[in-house]
Amino acid sequence: MNALLLIGLALVVARSETNADVRFTDVTREAGIHFTHNSGRAGNKWLPETMGSGCAFFDANQDGWQDIFFVNGKDWTARGRRSLQALYLNRGNGRFVDATRDSGLDVELYGMGVAIGDFDNDGRDDLYLTALEGDRLYRNLGGGKFRDVTAAAGIRNANFGTSAAWVDYDRDGHLDLFVANYVEWTPKRDLWCSLDGATKSYCTPESYKGTSSKLYHNLGGGKFEDASARAGIADPHSKSLGIAVLDYNSDGWPDLFVANDTQPNKLYRNNRDGTFTEEGLSAGVAFGEDGVARGAMGVDAVDYDRSGRPHLLVGNFSYQMLGLYRNEGKGLFVDEAPRSTVGRASLLSLAFGVFFFDYNLDGYPDIFAANGHIDEEIGRVQPKVQFKQRPHLFRNLGKGSFREVTSATGDLSRAMVARGAAYGDYDRDGDLDILISNNHGPAYLFRNDRSNSNHWLSIRLSGVKSNRNGIGAVVRVESTGGRQWRAVHSGSSYCSQSDLSLTFGLGPDSEVKVLEIEWPSGQKDRFGPVAANQFVRIEEGKGIQINISQQ
């Protein structure tokens, strides 16, 4: 009997570690999405052609449903067509309508990245777009309409901007803006590089000079000032592609991790006086295990093992594997990827958009990586590396262990040339769906079709003294299965923006016993118990609204 019991338990464990209870279905066409990214490529193999672009989930028209935005490139010379950025509004029935025309976002730019945040605290999420011609700031006017306020705001960035993130780094209640800038490049400065010595290929960033990223301080009244030099983040040698906001030393102030391509990654500790100190080298996140700077792209941060500390995920070039930096505390990180499934499975991949999300709602954040090489001829010189690559989905098994389950996820396992990636619950069924932007190809929307019975709680914050989005707030939930926490953050992934709501997977737990929020203002709110499987909105210092349909 004991032997049979052990066998039965083993079978239960084996089943629990599969992915049969969750599949992702490509619903792009049936959802009414028909966006195709235009890199402008015409045989010259100019560097920006292979780097873009991003995408976003956000509620553009304040109706409670996640809408979609795609960043687009354009032709280098006129070909009789226009390539616009794209805004798709969610109808609430599984379908979207292309609302780009007359939205104010119907502009032709060589765009790269997008960040979402309510910079003027008016209750409507605004949009920041990085572009080669110069970045743009769009104020949300309501109803899916936007106005370009870049010049009036004092934003001036035309430095090959990539990812961006909204962050209230001085905790004054106004969202500031960090913009990751890449390299000094223009068509006239484009260099000739080759994989085989005979034909032109896309150059790696070693060939170009770096450029400083920007930190814009929000002065209020719709005005910003460039605080990069004063804050200590101006580094002309950086070649930045990703930005994650995290409080890695748990002092209540947002720090910045910047992923650099072939230059050391940066970890900026917030000094709580408007300045930062760079500690990437001493923290162990500047280089790979071999002491060499890697080709880092996208990045995210979360507490994936319930240690109480945020850890880092970094997408890297092929033959470098993903970086999975575990926060050991006291300012030190250790890369767990080389001795884990995460590292072994991602060795040949080139990862751009990466993020943590709890796709099966078991209470443990999983890992997603959107992959794709930069040169379609790579297979001729590196036969083991493909141009189109499958994404990676790693299931969190607990205790810091992951298992790759991509092949069991249905449509998500297809090969593509992915760049930007974001998550959000577009159909409001409680689980998180995936949006992917492909380089010079069609975008994809993958619906999470979950058959397990795990419970969840979706939380959207509304600041009063703090910024309206509650960016920087820490939310802690306690249920029978234990304690979890998340921080509301902009940025992460690559050139993309995920839903600013926080989704907590609760597994078999039917309620949250205690829900606590620590706001950037210092305000602390506490609620409970709260029943599972609900959308809740919490206003700072005031109360909780259950099962919201309007944001």
Side-chain angles (χ1 to χ4, degrees):
M1 178 65 98
N2 289 337
L4 290 175
L5 179 60
L6 289 173
I7 292 172
L9 289 173
L11 289 173
V12 169
V13 171
R15 282 195 297 269
S16 71
E17 294 180 354
T18 68
N19 195 49
D21 57 347
V22 179
R23 294 179 68 82
F24 285 89
T25 303
D26 179 2
V27 294
T28 314
R29 180 170 295 183
E30 68 181 75
I33 295 171
H34 48 80
F35 176 81
T36 298
H37 175 255
N38 177 22
S39 72
R41 66 185 189 187
N44 294 321
K45 293 204 170 182
W46 286 346
L47 180 62
E49 294 173 0
T50 194
M51 300 304 295
S53 293
C55 56
F57 275 120
F58 79 119
D59 186 1
N61 57 356
Q62 303 82 51
D63 67 351
W65 295 82
Q66 289 294 298
D67 307 305
I68 287 173
F69 179 77
F70 293 110
V71 183
N72 207 356
K74 67 173 185 178
D75 294 330
W76 298 108
T77 57
R79 296 185 187 178
R81 61 176 179 177
R82 297 187 72 204
S83 297
L84 304 178
Q85 320 306 308
L87 176 66
Y88 285 87
L89 295 181
N90 193 333
R91 290 178 170 175
N93 60 357
R95 294 186 60 81
F96 293 79
V97 58
D98 187 342
T100 309
R101 186 175 180 179
D102 297 327
S103 67
L105 301 174
D106 49 341
V107 291
E108 189 172 36
L109 293 167
Y110 204 102
M112 292 296 299
V114 57
I116 303 298
D118 184 1
F119 79 87
D120 52 2
N121 289 328
D122 66 353
R124 298 185 292 267
D125 286 340
D126 309 300
L127 185 148
Y128 188 83
L129 174 70
T130 62
L132 294 185
E133 301 93 330
D135 298 355
R136 304 292 176 89
L137 175 61
Y138 293 95
R139 183 172 180 265
N140 192 331
L141 305 177
K145 305 296 182 181
F146 294 79
R147 175 185 297 153
D148 185 343
V149 295
T150 314
I155 300 289
R156 297 177 182 85
N157 188 60
N159 295 295
F160 203 150
T162 52
S163 298
W166 294 97
V167 52
D168 185 3
Y169 74 90
D170 55 358
R171 297 189 359 181
D172 66 352
H174 298 285
L175 287 179
D176 311 300
L177 178 68
F178 183 94
V179 184
N181 287 324
Y182 193 34
V183 296
E184 292 184 3
W185 180 92
T186 66
K188 292 182 179 179
R189 294 181 182 176
D190 187 72
L191 302 175
W192 194 92
C193 300
S194 178
L195 291 171
D196 58 12
T199 57
K200 190 176 190 298
S201 65
Y202 292 107
C203 292
T204 56
E206 292 101 329
S207 306
Y208 295 95
K209 291 182 179 180
T211 184
S212 175
S213 294
K214 292 288 185 71
L215 181 63
Y216 287 101
H217 178 231
N218 191 334
L219 301 173
K223 301 290 185 179
F224 292 80
E225 64 174 347
D226 186 347
S228 311
R230 183 175 72 245
I233 65 93
D235 178 9
H237 303 293
S238 288
K239 301 174 181 180
S240 304
L241 291 177
I243 169 67
V245 180
L246 73 162
D247 179 10
Y248 78 92
N249 56 359
S250 302
D251 67 351
W253 292 75
D255 310 302
L256 305 172
F257 177 86
V258 183
N260 283 313
D261 192 357
T262 71
Q263 290 292 309
N265 297 324
K266 305 294 184 181
L267 181 62
Y268 292 103
R269 175 173 55 82
N270 193 325
N271 296 323
R272 299 183 281 184
D273 60 1
T275 69
F276 293 82
T277 297
E278 204 286 299
E279 297 186 339
L281 181 60
S282 61
V285 297
F287 302 100
E289 272 201 335
D290 55 2
V292 177
R294 297 193 281 195
M297 270 75 72
V299 61
D300 197 12
V302 82
D303 179 7
Y304 64 76
D305 59 359
R306 299 192 179 183
S307 64
R309 299 182 295 270
H311 315 294
L312 284 164
L313 173 67
V314 183
N316 292 310
F317 209 78
S318 52
Y319 286 108
Q320 294 179 345
M321 71 181 63
L322 290 169
L324 185 61
Y325 294 98
R326 187 178 188 276
N327 187 341
E328 301 292 322
K330 298 182 180 180
L332 180 65
F333 290 76
V334 175
D335 190 358
E336 300 286 344
R339 49 187 166 272
S340 74
T341 299
V342 172
R344 291 190 295 270
S346 63
L347 180 62
L348 299 179
S349 303
L350 199 165
F352 277 87
V354 298
F355 52 73
F356 291 103
F357 75 139
D358 187 358
Y359 78 91
N360 56 357
L361 302 178
D362 65 354
Y364 289 88
D366 310 293
I367 291 174
F368 177 78
N371 305 314
H373 209 275
I374 63 170
D375 201 302
E376 56 191 331
E377 303 296 328
I378 188 63
R380 293 196 295 112
V381 293
Q382 296 182 8
K384 292 183 178 180
V385 178
Q386 303 297 315
F387 178 53
K388 292 184 176 182
Q389 300 177 2
R390 294 196 317 164
H392 288 302
L393 182 63
F394 295 97
R395 182 170 186 167
N396 190 335
L397 304 179
K399 297 182 179 180
S401 178
F402 292 86
R403 169 173 294 183
E404 187 181 20
V405 295
T406 315
S407 60
T409 58
D411 295 337
L412 191 62
S413 63
R414 70 177 50 166
M416 56 188 89
V417 189
R419 294 295 184 260
Y423 61 83
D425 182 8
Y426 85 91
D427 51 1
R428 289 179 63 87
D429 63 354
D431 52 38
L432 296 171
D433 313 297
I434 296 176
L435 185 67
I436 299 177
S437 179
N438 279 275
N439 180 260
H440 205 72
Y444 292 109
L445 175 62
F446 294 99
R447 186 183 64 213
N448 186 331
D449 290 328
R450 176 178 55 94
S451 59
N452 67 37
S453 57
N454 287 342
H455 298 293
W456 52 272
L457 187 66
S458 178
I459 301 169
R460 178 170 289 271
L461 300 186
S462 180
V464 178
K465 294 180 180 179
S466 303
N467 67 84
R468 190 66 173 264
N469 293 122
I471 287 175
V474 174
V475 178
R476 305 180 191 277
V477 301
E478 181 178 352
S479 64
T480 301
R483 290 177 62 87
Q484 305 176 54
W485 69 277
R486 303 278 193 281
V488 182
H489 66 280
S490 173
S492 287
S493 190
Y494 172 76
C495 289
S496 297
Q497 174 75 56
S498 293
D499 182 7
L500 287 171
S501 299
L502 298 179
T503 296
F504 287 90
L506 301 174
D509 299 344
S510 59
E511 72 171 14
V512 167
K513 295 179 179 179
V514 179
L515 190 160
E516 299 174 321
I517 305 101
E518 299 172 11
W519 298 87
S521 68
Q523 170 75 28
K524 294 183 179 181
D525 292 333
R526 181 182 174 96
F527 306 94
V530 180
N533 304 335
Q534 300 190 90
F535 297 92
V536 303
R537 179 177 179 270
I538 300 174
E539 190 170 4
E540 182 179 9
K542 295 188 177 180
I544 183 171
Q545 298 179 30
I546 304 296
N547 273 332
I548 56 169
S549 59
Q550 302 292 321
Q551 299 292 329

